[in-house]
Amino acid sequence: MRVVVAGSSGLIGTALVPALRAAGHEVVRLVRRRATAPDERSWDPPAGELQPGALDGVDAVVNLCGARLGDERWSAARKQLLVDTRIVPTEVLAGAVVEHGVPVLVNASAAGYYGDTRDEVVTEAAAGGLGFLAELCQRWEDATSPAVEAGVRVARLRTGVVLSPSGGLLGRLRPLFSAFLGARLGDGRQYLSWISLDDALGAVQHVLGHDSLAGPVNLTAPAPVTNAEFTHALGDALGRPAPWVVPGFALRAALGEVAETLLTGQRVVPAALERHGYAFLHPSVGAALRACLPRE
């Protein structure tokens, strides 16, 4: 396939581009500057502009755009940035795939779509939740509607926390756990829906290769865990005990509204991927952590 990837500099994107090439696909990266490499094409989402020819002969577009959610407190300006870096690029690409006849759009979303589901097991059939993140994800997915209405096969990836040896959540937690500062957050009963980076890459390729995979796709492993279970598993993977607790009020004081993403959760399962035959490399959090983090 000839695949265009937007958001290729993020955690998934930087790994997806070489993975697609290793699988024999041709990859073109959209960049928000002047294109300088043969595999680059420039675009300007706020202006609604794509470099001429960027989508010529393209079989699929993968859109992974979006500023990272947990980097800063959610001020009004930060919330607007989180909205703008998701909705605007998606609107531009949804219109572009229709205009250029691209048959497939694989678009990022997040498991936060469902809001706080407590211990309820959630599949793609569940309704959207409440709160800033849930409503942002719903708007994000709605931005693909023009492509859906035009008959494009659109898959909306409701991605959980990606466990990667190169950054993301583990990049932040590993130094703390290594220094014996690993801690449960709040009461620890909130669920974490996660996926290993290897499985995230495999699942995206599975979606690209299966014509019947469309609509919402939970990009999560089949065994979500509570925060307490994850804390124990990470401590075990690093050979470090994690007996501490960070109270909810302390997280809220330190992080503001962002803390709610840590103190609430979703128990999301990948029903669509499993129904379409995807075999997970790391179905358990212990296996995923051992693969990502050699024991110290």
Side-chain angles (χ1 to χ4, degrees):
M1 300 176 71
R2 180 176 172 86
V3 182
V4 166
V5 177
S8 62
S9 61
L11 182 68
I12 295 178
T14 53
L16 180 63
V17 169
L20 289 171
R21 288 175 175 156
H25 305 297
E26 180 185 355
V27 180
V28 174
R29 296 178 295 129
L30 291 183
V31 296
R32 303 190 195 196
R33 52 173 170 75
R34 187 172 64 87
T36 57
D39 70 332
E40 294 179 346
R41 302 293 184 273
S42 63
W43 73 318
D44 182 354
E49 296 177 352
L50 280 166
Q51 180 178 325
L55 298 187
D56 287 354
V58 168
D59 299 297
V61 170
V62 178
N63 174 27
L64 303 173
C65 291
R68 292 195 298 188
L69 290 166
D71 280 4
E72 300 177 17
R73 292 173 72 100
W74 286 352
S75 64
R78 182 65 183 178
K79 284 184 174 180
Q80 192 60 53
L81 178 68
L82 295 175
V83 170
D84 291 345
T85 56
R86 287 165 170 76
I87 308 304
V88 174
T90 300
E91 289 174 340
V92 172
L93 289 174
V97 297
V98 173
E99 179 182 352
H100 294 275
V102 178
V104 179
L105 172 62
V106 177
N107 205 80
S109 181
Y113 175 96
Y114 301 108
D116 183 13
T117 66
R118 300 184 184 273
D119 60 355
E120 178 186 355
V121 176
V122 175
T123 71
E124 290 87 352
L130 301 175
F132 170 72
L133 179 55
E135 291 161 18
L136 170 59
C137 290
Q138 292 159 39
R139 290 181 60 191
W140 196 2
E141 295 190 10
D142 287 345
T144 66
S145 295
V148 176
E149 292 164 3
V152 175
R153 178 168 72 90
V154 176
R156 297 156 170 162
L157 306 178
R158 295 175 180 168
T159 307
V161 171
V162 178
L163 302 182
S164 165
S166 59
L169 178 67
L170 292 184
R172 298 179 184 187
L173 293 182
R174 184 174 183 177
L176 295 173
F177 276 70
S178 296
F180 295 91
L181 296 174
R184 190 188 79 207
L185 304 181
D187 63 19
R189 293 197 294 266
Q190 66 275 28
Y191 270 87
L192 177 72
S193 295
W194 59 274
I195 188 168
S196 72
L197 179 60
D198 287 341
D199 274 319
L201 303 179
V204 171
Q205 294 181 75
H206 196 77
V207 170
L208 287 171
H210 284 71
D211 291 342
S212 57
L213 255 173
V217 177
N218 289 339
L219 206 67
T220 62
V225 293
T226 65
N227 175 263
E229 291 168 336
F230 179 79
T231 300
H232 177 78
L234 181 52
D236 184 64
L238 291 172
R240 298 289 193 272
W244 313 111
V245 177
V246 179
F249 72 84
L251 278 174
R252 291 184 178 96
L255 302 176
E257 195 176 347
V258 176
E260 298 309 315
T261 66
L262 303 173
L263 296 171
T264 61
Q266 304 84 31
R267 192 177 182 180
V268 177
V269 294
L273 284 174
E274 292 188 314
R275 187 167 61 249
H276 287 82
Y278 181 72
F280 283 84
L281 298 172
H282 304 124
S284 74
V285 73
L289 290 172
R290 287 190 295 271
C292 290
L293 302 169
R295 194 176 181 88
E296 297 182 354

